[in-house]
Amino acid sequence: MKAIYRTAVAALALTSPVAALAQSEAQPPAPPQNEQVGIQDIVVTANRREEKLQNVGASISAMSGDQMRELGVTTALDVANFTPNIEIVRSYASPGFNTQITIRGVGQPDFQDTTEATATAYVDEFYMIGAGQADFLSFDIARTEVARGPQGTVQGRNATAGSINYYTNRPTFDGTSGRMSVTVAERGTIRTEGFLNVPVSDTLALRGAFSTDHSDGYLRNINPTSNWRKGAAGKFYAGRLQALFQPTDNLSLLLKAEIGKMGPVAGGNEKAYPVGQIAGLPGTYAIPTDAFGQNQANIGAGARDVTNADGSNELQSKMQHYLATLNYDAGGGVNVTVLGGWLQSKKYSIEDCDHTPLPLCNFSNKARSRHWTTEGRVNWDTGALRLTAGANYLHQSIFTTSASPLFFGPTVTPFGNTLYGQAFRDGQKLSSYAFFGQAEYDLTPQLTAIAGIRYTHDNKRLDSVNAATTSLPIDTPLPMSIGAYEALREQIFASPDAVFTRLTVADNGNLARFRKGLVNANLQLNYKPTDDLLVYLSYKRGQKSGGFITGNVTGTAPELRPFKEETNNAFELGVKSDLLGKTLRVNGAVFYYDYQNMQNTSLIGITNVITNNDAKIWGGEVEVTATPTRGLSLSVSGGYVHTRVQDIFNPTGAVAILSDNRLPLAPRLTGNARIRYEWDQFDGKLFVQGAARGRTWMYRDSLNNPSTKIPGLFVADAQAGYTTDNWSLSFYVDNVFNTRRAINLFDISSVANSGEVVYQMPRWFGGTFSVNF
C-alpha cells in the first residue's frame, strides 16, 4: 500500500502543474509561414494504427529516422542510450548476437536461445524471437518506438516488460533518390550505409538499403599459443530489398527480403575476474586470485585493454528474413492488414571463459532458429468508436548444441590422467495461435475509454540431452574452432562412462511440454482537456509463456527444469503535454507492477537457473524536450525504478540464504541529455552537439552477489559538422572522458574461482561523410 500511495503522490506532483500550465498559458504569436519552429510530431503505431505520439496513452519514447542519424543510433544498444528506464547489455562487443533488454527493471538475462525475452523486439511488426536479430535490421529506419509496460494486447506475445519497434523506410513514388555515408574512425573502423529508392512505374517502387561495419578491435591478447590477437572486433554486413506494388490508392502489397552476417570475428571483449567465497558469508565476492593464483596483473593483463587467454574467441551470426504485408482500405473507415514472414538465424560462439593462460573454462554454443508468423487484422474507425481485431499464428523450431571442456589440461585436471567435458543438444518446437481485439470509444470529446484482450495458446515441446564425462584422454587437444568443438561434443556423448541428463517427451512425458492459454488485457481512460494535453490512467495485464531451463544442466533433476508462465499486473498514470506553442514538451508517467511468478534467472555454476518468484516494482520516467530558439534543441530524460523480488535462494556462498532481492540489470536511476545547436553558414548549416547518459549501479542476476554488482556509469559524447541539402560532413568523439568502468560481470566461481568482466569501450574518434542524391 505504501508503494501505491507513493506512486499516486508522485503522479499528482508530476501532472498537476503541467495540466494547469497547459490550460492557462497564453499562446505566443504564430511564426512566419516559411519558418519551421517548435517540436515536430512523430506518428507512431503502438496500437497498430497511425496516431500522433502525443495522442497515445502510453509511455513511449520515439525517434524519427532523421533524429537517429543525428544521434548516431545504429543498433538496439544505441536506442537504450537515449531512452529512460531501459537497459541493454550484450554478452559480446559485436552486434547481432546475445542481447539482454530490461525495461523498467523487467527483463530476462538468460542468454540461452530457447528462452524468449520479456522485452520484445519487432521490425515492421514482425516478431524477433531473439533480441539480437533486430541488430541486423536497424538501418535505413523511418522511426523507432520504445513502449514501456505490457504491450501484449495488440502488439504480440510475451511483451510483459515492453517492446522495441523498428519501422524501416518503405519505397516511395516521389522520384529516384538515395544516400550514401561512410564513417572512418580509430582502430580500423569503417562503416558504410546507404539506400536507393527507384519508382519503376506508377504502381511499382523499389528500395534497396545496406549497412556494413568493420573494426579491428581494441582488446589485445598477448598469449602466444592462442589463435587470436585482437578482441572486441567487428565484421558486420546487412542488406535489404523492398518492392511496393500499389495498383490502386486503396490497395498495396509490400515485399521485403533481408540478409545479414556478423563475423566470423573475435568479438569477445571479456577479461579475467577472480570470484569466490568468503568464510561465513553468503554469496560470492571479487577475490585477489583464482584457484591457481592468477589475476589480471600477474598474467600480464593489468592494462585495461590487454588480456592473456589461451583459448579461442570467435563469433558468427547469419540471418535471412522475408516478409509480405498486404494493406487494403475498404472504405467506410475499415482497413485490413495481412502480413506473413519467415526468419532463419544461424550463429555460433566459442570462448575462453576464464581468460587466463590456463585451460580452465572453455565453451561453445551453436544455434539454428527458424520461425514464421502470419497475422491478419481489421481496423475500423467510425469517428467516436475505433476497433482493432485480428488473429496471429507463430511456429518456431530451434536447435542448439554446445561443448564445455573444463580443467582441460594435464596441469589443471583434478581427475589424474583424464579430462572432463560436458555437452548438450537442445531442440525445442513452439506452435502458438492468438486472437485479439481492442476498442476505443469517445465518451465525450475529451474522455476516451479503451478496452482490449488477447488470448494466446502456446504448445511448446523440449528435447534436451546433456552428457558429462571425466574420462576423456589426457592428450585431447583444446578445441580452437567450432568444428573442433562439435567433434568434442560428439566424443563426450560417445564416452562409455558419460552421465546423461534428459528432459524429453519420450523420457519425461508432460514435464517436457508447455501447453496453456494465456490472457493479456488492457483497460484505460484517456482525458484530453486541450489539444496539447493528455492525461491517462491504465491497467494492463501481461502474460509471458512458460518454458524450460536449458543449456548446461548436468545433474539437474527433470522436475526442477520447467518454469511457469509469469503475469504482470501493471498500473500506470501518465501525462503528455506540449507547452509554449509546442516549443516545450513534457511527457511523464508513474507505474506500479504486481508481478506473479516472475521468471527470474540466476547463474549458479555454469547453469542459468530460472525460478518463478513474485515481485513488486514501482517508479516512473519523465522526458523533456525543448526548442527555445531557432536552431537550438534540448532534451533531458530520467527514470527511477524500485524493484523487489521475493524468496530468491542463493546457494553459491559459504552460507546459503533465502532473501528478497533486487531484479537484475535494473539500476534505480537512469538519465540522459542532449543539446544541439545549428546555424546557417556557407549555404548550409553548421552544428555542434553534445550528449550524455548515466545510470546507478545494478546486479547482473537475481542472486545479488557482490561479485556481480556492476558499478554506476556516466558517458558523454560530442559531435560537430556541416550539412547541406546534398552532402554532410561530421566528426564525433564517443566516450569523451574515456570512462572505463565495468559494464558486465559474470560469476563462474565454481570453475577454479573464475569470472568475467567487460569494461566500457574506450574513447573513439571518427568522422562521417554523407551524400544525398
Side-chain angles (χ1 to χ4, degrees):
M1 289 301 296
K2 290 182 179 179
I4 297 175
Y5 172 75
R6 287 193 293 263
T7 301
V9 171
L12 290 174
L14 175 67
T15 59
S16 297
V18 172
L21 179 60
Q23 295 186 71
S24 63
E25 66 176 66
Q27 297 296 318
Q33 290 185 354
N34 62 347
E35 184 178 358
Q36 188 178 25
V37 297
I39 300 167
Q40 302 304 304
D41 289 319
I42 296 179
V43 175
V44 299
T45 53
N47 291 317
R48 294 303 186 236
R49 58 186 180 82
E50 292 187 350
E51 301 171 278
K52 291 182 179 179
L53 173 66
Q54 294 301 95
N55 292 337
V56 180
S59 181
I60 299 174
S61 298
M63 287 187 287
S64 68
D66 290 339
Q67 290 172 327
M68 293 174 69
R69 282 191 295 275
E70 289 176 359
L71 293 169
V73 172
T74 58
T75 69
L77 182 62
D78 297 325
V79 172
N81 292 335
F82 298 98
T83 308
N85 275 345
I86 177 173
E87 196 69 29
I88 296 182
V89 173
R90 287 203 187 108
S91 297
Y92 307 106
S94 300
F97 216 82
N98 291 346
T99 302
Q100 291 91 45
I101 305 173
T102 58
I103 300 177
R104 289 177 169 173
V106 180
Q108 177 48 269
D110 181 19
F111 43 79
Q112 295 299 328
D113 295 284
T114 53
T115 303
E116 294 181 74
T118 55
T120 56
Y122 296 84
V123 177
D124 291 331
E125 301 183 6
F126 183 89
Y127 174 49
M128 300 290 157
I129 288 185
Q133 295 170 356
D135 276 338
F136 280 115
L137 310 177
S138 52
F139 61 96
D140 193 28
I141 293 293
R143 70 181 184 280
T144 300
E145 304 171 15
V146 178
R148 290 173 282 263
Q151 303 296 320
T153 305
V154 295
Q155 285 200 21
R157 59 183 285 106
N158 289 345
T160 51
S163 64
I164 302 178
N165 283 265
Y166 299 88
Y167 295 91
T168 62
N169 283 304
R170 296 160 57 105
T172 69
F173 296 93
D174 297 333
T176 300
S177 62
R179 183 179 65 252
M180 173 70 184
S181 67
V182 178
T183 297
V184 179
E186 291 184 276
R187 303 172 182 89
T189 300
I190 300 177
R191 300 189 189 103
T192 65
E193 183 176 332
F195 80 86
L196 177 64
N197 183 89
V198 179
V200 179
S201 68
D202 292 339
T203 60
L204 178 64
L206 303 177
R207 188 182 186 102
F210 70 92
S211 176
T212 72
D213 191 343
H214 176 275
S215 171
D216 292 338
Y218 59 87
L219 182 66
R220 183 165 60 94
N221 185 13
I222 63 173
N223 191 285
T225 65
S226 182
N227 62 351
W228 62 281
R229 290 292 168 264
K230 280 289 185 75
K235 186 189 294 184
F236 179 87
Y237 315 89
R240 176 188 306 127
L241 178 64
Q242 297 186 82
L244 177 62
F245 178 59
Q246 190 169 316
T248 67
D249 290 341
N250 60 352
L251 178 65
S252 68
L253 174 64
L254 180 65
L255 302 177
K256 183 174 70 168
E258 298 168 304
I259 59 171
K261 181 182 179 183
M262 182 274 290
V265 68
N269 55 345
E270 306 95 330
K271 293 188 60 174
Y273 174 59
V275 174
Q277 301 175 354
I278 294 179
L281 295 180
T284 59
Y285 302 79
I287 59 176
T289 65
D290 65 17
F292 289 84
Q294 302 176 109
N295 59 29
Q296 289 185 15
N298 66 27
I299 64 173
R304 188 65 87 207
D305 294 329
V306 175
T307 189
N308 186 349
D310 65 329
S312 194
N313 173 2
E314 186 172 280
L315 313 173
Q316 180 172 283
S317 182
K318 299 178 181 179
M319 184 277 303
Q320 55 179 312
H321 172 46
Y322 307 96
L323 180 66
T325 304
L326 178 71
N327 189 272
Y328 176 61
D329 185 350
V334 177
N335 187 274
V336 180
T337 300
V338 179
L339 65 88
W342 179 85
L343 187 146
Q344 175 176 268
S345 172
K346 296 180 178 180
K347 64 179 184 177
Y348 72 80
S349 66
I350 51 179
E351 181 186 330
D352 177 336
C353 44
D354 61 271
H355 310 284
T356 74
L358 296 178
L360 302 175
C361 180
N362 291 269
F363 82 94
S364 69
N365 186 78
K366 186 177 181 181
R368 185 211 66 214
S369 171
R370 294 171 180 159
H371 74 279
W372 63 271
T373 185
T374 183
E375 178 171 305
R377 66 176 182 271
V378 177
N379 291 320
W380 183 32
D381 187 344
T382 67
L385 176 64
R386 296 167 295 280
L387 298 174
T388 300
N392 177 279
Y393 182 78
L394 167 70
H395 179 81
Q396 184 207 21
S397 64
I398 183 168
F399 184 71
T400 67
T401 57
S402 172
S404 297
L406 308 177
F407 304 99
F408 213 71
T411 62
V412 296
T413 179
F415 302 104
N417 293 321
T418 58
L419 300 177
Y420 175 81
Q422 64 184 73
F424 68 80
R425 59 172 184 258
D426 291 338
Q428 183 173 280
K429 290 188 176 181
L430 166 68
S431 295
S432 175
Y433 63 84
F435 303 97
F436 59 90
Q438 181 164 291
E440 302 182 19
Y441 182 68
D442 297 330
L443 302 172
T444 72
Q446 292 79 33
L447 186 64
T448 301
I450 303 172
I453 191 168
R454 183 187 192 95
Y455 175 80
T456 302
H457 187 275
D458 275 7
N459 187 350
K460 193 178 294 185
R461 173 176 175 154
L462 182 69
D463 184 359
S464 172
V465 182
N466 277 243
T469 180
T470 60
S471 63
L472 295 172
I474 194 69
D475 59 351
T476 304
L478 181 68
M480 302 296 283
S481 68
I482 189 62
Y485 269 96
E486 285 292 283
L488 177 63
R489 176 182 64 83
E490 294 177 0
Q491 185 179 355
I492 293 170
F493 268 77
S495 179
D497 70 341
V499 176
F500 289 91
T501 302
R502 303 176 186 273
L503 182 57
T504 69
V505 173
D507 292 310
N508 308 101
N510 286 333
L511 272 179
R513 287 193 180 102
F514 179 88
R515 289 181 294 189
K516 196 165 186 178
L518 309 170
V519 177
N520 292 264
N522 177 30
L523 293 173
Q524 184 167 328
L525 285 175
N526 288 352
Y527 178 57
K528 200 169 177 61
T530 72
D531 289 341
D532 295 328
L533 176 65
L534 169 66
V535 180
Y536 65 89
L537 176 67
S538 70
Y539 162 75
K540 293 181 179 179
R541 169 189 166 96
Q543 278 201 307
K544 177 180 180 289
S545 176
F548 312 95
I549 299 172
T550 58
N552 284 306
V553 296
T554 294
T556 304
E559 60 269 17
L560 298 179
R561 294 178 60 186
F563 54 86
K564 295 183 288 188
E565 70 278 7
E566 66 177 20
T567 303
N568 182 6
N569 294 293
F571 304 86
E572 184 172 319
L573 176 61
V575 61
K576 295 186 172 184
S577 59
D578 284 331
L579 310 169
L580 305 177
K582 287 195 174 183
T583 62
L584 175 65
R585 174 169 293 172
V586 181
N587 293 346
V590 291
F591 64 91
Y592 176 79
Y593 292 172
D594 181 6
Y595 243 109
Q596 299 170 0
N597 291 321
M598 174 181 267
Q599 298 163 6
N600 284 277
T601 298
S602 303
L603 182 60
I604 300 176
I606 57 173
T607 302
N608 279 311
V609 177
I610 302 177
T611 57
N612 290 105
N613 306 82
D614 292 344
K616 309 292 184 185
I617 307 165
W618 58 273
E621 56 270 335
V622 62
E623 297 178 280
V624 180
T625 305
T627 55
T629 186
R630 185 173 179 267
L632 178 63
S633 61
L634 308 165
S635 63
V636 179
S637 65
Y640 174 83
V641 173
H642 182 279
T643 67
R644 184 62 59 188
V645 58
Q646 300 173 9
D647 298 332
I648 296 293
F649 178 65
N650 185 352
T652 62
V655 178
I657 59 170
L658 184 72
S659 60
D660 294 349
N661 291 346
R662 288 193 182 193
L663 288 173
L665 306 180
R668 283 276 172 89
L669 295 171
T670 59
N672 56 73
R674 179 183 72 118
I675 181 170
R676 180 183 175 94
Y677 183 63
E678 58 184 35
W679 65 98
D680 294 334
Q681 194 72 48
F682 310 122
D683 297 324
K685 290 182 182 293
L686 287 168
F687 72 90
V688 291
Q689 178 176 289
R693 58 193 181 277
R695 58 160 173 78
T696 53
W697 60 269
M698 60 186 181
Y699 288 111
R700 183 60 179 82
D701 68 19
S702 296
L703 296 179
N704 285 193
N705 282 335
S707 63
T708 63
K709 184 179 178 180
I710 302 171
L713 185 70
F714 174 84
V715 177
D717 305 323
Q719 189 178 3
Y722 176 72
T723 66
T724 71
D725 291 338
N726 299 321
W727 61 273
S728 65
L729 176 65
S730 63
F731 299 93
Y732 68 88
V733 184
D734 288 343
N735 193 5
V736 171
F737 302 111
N738 202 32
T739 303
R740 303 305 308 278
R741 307 193 81 181
I743 58 172
N744 207 355
L745 295 169
F746 282 99
D747 170 9
I748 321 175
S749 55
S750 63
V751 184
N753 298 120
S754 298
E756 296 180 303
V757 58
V758 177
Y759 296 105
Q760 173 68 28
M761 294 174 65
R763 182 190 295 118
W764 217 287
F765 296 89
T768 300
F769 179 71
S770 299
V771 177
N772 303 317
F773 55 89

